[in-house]
């Protein structure tokens, strides 16, 4: 099997999985129980969260655990916007649906919703952002690394622009960047960030919302006061400890893995470039973990299934929209071309990918091309 869909999800790390089983078995008590067992669980919960904050070098943030990044994105955006009845909100045309669709849901209300354009490399224009941001702006949400083409937004520069508008809340979806690309910006300067453990070799079922402590969210859920009332209810200690463990293992390996995958990405590009009818949509300046290509005159979904026959697994786009036959919105925003945006596949790499995997993929693509 050749798995090249690491941006959709990753296999769980063996050590992390062992930790998961151990905690589920040995530390099952509810963290809110007053007895000794509960207090032991609670201590582990607090220790794990503190370690996560330390790994990310966060000084002013709380962490709330959710079921995945989708939920974290929703809670962050609704948590802010439900406190307002009107105002301007800004995002990009290429956000993950868990941000994009939330912004869309405010179009019918008294909100002025702005979707920033991207250029042919999938990057926003800072000038457009400067033009749009104003004193009525409440929230700006801009992803760090795009999940479809891997474009990297200039978060550091964006922070500098937003700094002049202290009332604006800035949210960054860091799902496809964390543990893959070294941050050139300070997370402490971001009001809210979100990611998910299953994208970085941890288990599924847990996402993270980091937010500046002084933010008073609108509470969407009612229940206990656990997790600051933002995500009340019993927490899964094992998933939380595994999130910390995953970060402990993979965060320090970010640069090593990046360099390794960058070489592989170059190799993959060099093999794809000579192929007829295949256009590379991802810019060389983007994340090396994602290579998006269009296979002209073919539907992306068809290609996914042809490759699957050779046990090669890629994606048409994000896992959430892969069943839809609509033009892929990120590729469309970059190219303005329906043929390119309907014939795309996303090849996503890992430090676990081998050069042989890539050779086999190339053979399979050559076969498709010659049919
Ligand atoms: N944000 C980005 C950029 C993603 O790539 C994804 C998943 O593909 C998500 C959010 C949603 O993550 P989850 O699957 O954990 O809900």
């Amino acid at each position: 099997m050749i798995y090249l869909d690491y941006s959709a999800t990753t296999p769980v790390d063996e050590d992390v999985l062992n930790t998961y089983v151990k905690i589920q078995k040995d530390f099952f008590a509810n963290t809110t129980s007053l007895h000794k067992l509960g207090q032991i669980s609670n201590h582990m919960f607090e220790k794990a969260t503190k370690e996560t904050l330390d790994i990310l070098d966060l000084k002013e943030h709380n962490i709330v655990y959710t079921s995945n990044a989708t939920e974290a994105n929703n809670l962050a955006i609704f948590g802010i916007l439900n406190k307002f009845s009107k105002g301007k909100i800004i995002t990009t045309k290429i956000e993950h649906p868990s941000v994009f669709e939330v912004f869309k849901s405010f179009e019918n209300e008294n909100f002025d919703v702005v979707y920033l354009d991207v250029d042919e490399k999938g990057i926003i224009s800072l000038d457009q952002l400067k033009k749009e941001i104003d004193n009525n702006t409440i929230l700006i949400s801009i992803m760090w690394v795009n999940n479809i083409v891997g474009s990297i937004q200039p978060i550091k520069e964006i922070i500098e622009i937003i700094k002049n508008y202290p009332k604006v809340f800035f949210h960054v979806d860091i799902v496809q960047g964390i543990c893959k690309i070294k941050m050139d910006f300070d997370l402490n300067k971001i009001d809210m960030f979100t990611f998910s453990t299953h994208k970085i070799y941890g288990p599924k079922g847990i996402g993270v919302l980091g937010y500046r402590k002084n933010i008073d969210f609108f509470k969407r859920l009612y229940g206990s006061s656990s997790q600051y009332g933002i995500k009340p209810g019993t927490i899964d200690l094992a998933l939380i400890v595994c999130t910390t463990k995953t970060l402990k293992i993979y965060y320090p390996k970010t640069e090593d893995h990046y360099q390794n995958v960058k070489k592989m990405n170059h190799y993959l590009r060099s093999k794809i470039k000579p192929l007829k009818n295949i256009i590379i949509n991802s810019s060389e300046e983007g994340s090396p973990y994602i290579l998006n290509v269009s296979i002209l005159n073919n539907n992306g979904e068809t290609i996914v299934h042809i490759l699957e026959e050779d046990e090669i697994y890629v994606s048409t786009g994000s896992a959430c929209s892969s069943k839809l036959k609509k033009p892929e919105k990120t590729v469309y925003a970059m190219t303005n071309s329906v043929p390119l945006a309907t014939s795309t596949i996303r090849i996503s790499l890992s430090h676990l990918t081998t050069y042989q995997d890539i050779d086999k993929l190339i053979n399979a693509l050559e076969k498709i091309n010659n049919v």
Side-chain angles (χ1 to χ4, degrees):
M1 175 189 76
I2 297 169
Y3 184 76
L4 295 169
D5 198 16
Y6 289 96
S7 292
T9 196
T10 56
V12 64
D13 177 285
E14 200 68 26
D15 280 350
V16 174
L17 187 58
N18 289 337
T19 300
Y20 180 82
V21 174
K22 184 172 167 45
I23 306 270
Q24 285 291 11
K25 273 190 184 161
D26 298 347
F27 301 94
F28 61 87
N30 196 315
T31 52
T32 59
S33 291
L34 291 181
H35 51 66
K36 196 166 79 187
L37 292 185
Q39 290 314 295
I40 291 171
S41 289
N42 192 46
H43 175 71
M44 290 176 81
F45 164 56
E46 286 178 353
K47 182 163 169 275
T49 300
K50 164 93 176 58
E51 280 176 1
T52 288
L53 288 166
D54 287 347
I55 293 167
L56 299 176
D57 203 19
L58 289 165
K59 315 267 188 294
E60 300 291 331
H61 283 68
N62 284 335
I63 279 179
V64 163
Y65 300 98
T66 61
S67 302
N68 45 42
T70 295
E71 188 183 21
N73 283 341
N74 272 266
L75 284 177
I77 300 168
F78 280 120
I80 297 295
L81 295 186
N82 284 159
K83 292 216 129 194
F84 293 84
S85 56
K86 58 179 185 187
K88 190 174 203 177
I89 56 178
I90 303 176
T91 189
T92 76
K93 288 189 175 167
I94 64 166
E95 294 301 306
H96 186 270
S98 57
V99 169
F100 192 81
E101 295 298 327
V102 182
F103 270 71
K104 285 209 96 168
S105 75
F106 283 89
E107 281 179 7
N108 300 330
E109 318 224 357
N110 275 334
F111 287 86
D112 179 9
V113 190
V114 174
Y115 303 93
L116 299 173
D117 299 317
V118 292
D119 63 13
E120 69 289 349
K121 292 180 177 166
I123 298 175
I124 65 154
S125 143
L126 294 176
D127 283 339
Q128 190 186 12
L129 176 62
K130 279 184 206 156
K131 266 187 217 138
E132 291 292 356
I133 189 169
D134 60 19
N135 290 330
N136 292 324
T137 308
I138 301 166
L139 172 71
I140 299 181
S141 179
I142 297 178
M143 72 199 319
W144 178 21
V145 178
N146 175 265
N147 52 307
I148 304 294
V149 296
S151 55
I152 303 172
Q153 301 306 328
I155 300 295
K156 203 170 157 185
E157 287 78 5
I158 296 170
I159 290 171
E160 285 306 304
I161 295 171
I162 296 179
K163 206 169 76 180
N164 300 316
Y165 297 83
K167 284 193 183 149
V168 173
F169 293 97
F170 184 32
H171 166 245
V172 183
D173 173 335
I174 63 168
V175 170
Q176 297 291 345
I178 188 165
C179 294
K180 293 181 177 165
I181 296 178
K182 231 174 131 192
M183 275 179 219
D184 67 345
F185 55 90
D186 185 356
L187 261 191
N188 285 293
K189 295 189 175 161
I190 289 172
D191 298 306
M192 300 171 285
F193 65 86
T194 40
F195 68 90
S196 152
T197 310
H198 74 94
K199 307 275 191 189
I200 52 171
Y201 308 94
K204 289 164 194 49
I206 182 157
V208 170
L209 161 61
Y211 70 95
R212 234 196 262 278
K213 279 180 192 164
N214 61 1
I215 298 178
D216 180 22
F217 282 107
F218 177 87
K219 310 287 187 326
R220 302 263 310 170
L221 304 170
Y222 292 92
S224 67
S225 61
S226 72
Q227 299 220 71
Y228 313 100
I230 293 169
K231 167 80 180 160
T234 302
I235 55 162
D236 183 343
L237 178 64
L239 288 176
I240 290 166
V241 172
C242 284
T243 296
T244 306
K245 175 134 191 162
T246 306
L247 286 171
K248 252 191 203 162
I249 299 173
Y250 289 95
Y251 200 71
K253 293 186 178 166
T254 302
E255 186 60 18
D256 263 12
H257 286 171
Y258 176 87
Q259 292 303 341
N260 169 2
V261 172
K262 197 171 166 68
K263 281 193 202 122
M264 230 161 345
N265 180 295
H266 276 305
Y267 181 73
L268 175 59
R269 282 173 182 272
S270 73
K271 294 279 176 182
I272 285 188
K273 271 182 194 151
L275 300 183
K276 282 187 305 208
N277 299 327
I278 304 194
I279 312 265
I280 296 178
N281 297 315
S282 298
S283 151
E284 296 204 25
E285 291 154 35
S287 164
Y289 286 86
I290 297 179
L291 192 79
N292 186 296
V293 300
S294 292
I295 306 190
L296 297 180
N297 308 319
N298 280 284
N299 189 288
E301 195 178 325
T302 314
I303 302 292
V304 167
H305 292 306
I306 295 175
L307 290 174
E308 177 189 61
E309 285 169 18
D310 286 337
E311 289 198 47
I312 299 174
Y313 300 99
V314 300
S315 211
T316 49
S318 75
C320 320
S321 63
S322 58
K323 289 204 179 76
L324 304 177
K325 282 191 180 162
K326 289 198 300 203
E328 204 302 304
K329 83 173 170 0
T330 301
V331 177
Y332 186 72
M334 285 162 61
T335 62
N336 219 4
S337 155
V338 173
L340 284 179
T342 47
S343 58
T344 111
I345 59 166
R346 177 185 69 181
I347 303 157
S348 50
L349 308 175
S350 153
H351 61 283
L352 302 173
T353 309
T354 66
Y355 286 87
Q356 288 91 321
D357 291 343
I358 292 177
D359 288 340
K360 286 187 184 145
L361 169 71
I362 296 296
N363 282 341
L365 290 176
E366 277 170 344
K367 247 182 2 196
I368 294 170
N369 242 346
N370 291 331
V371 172

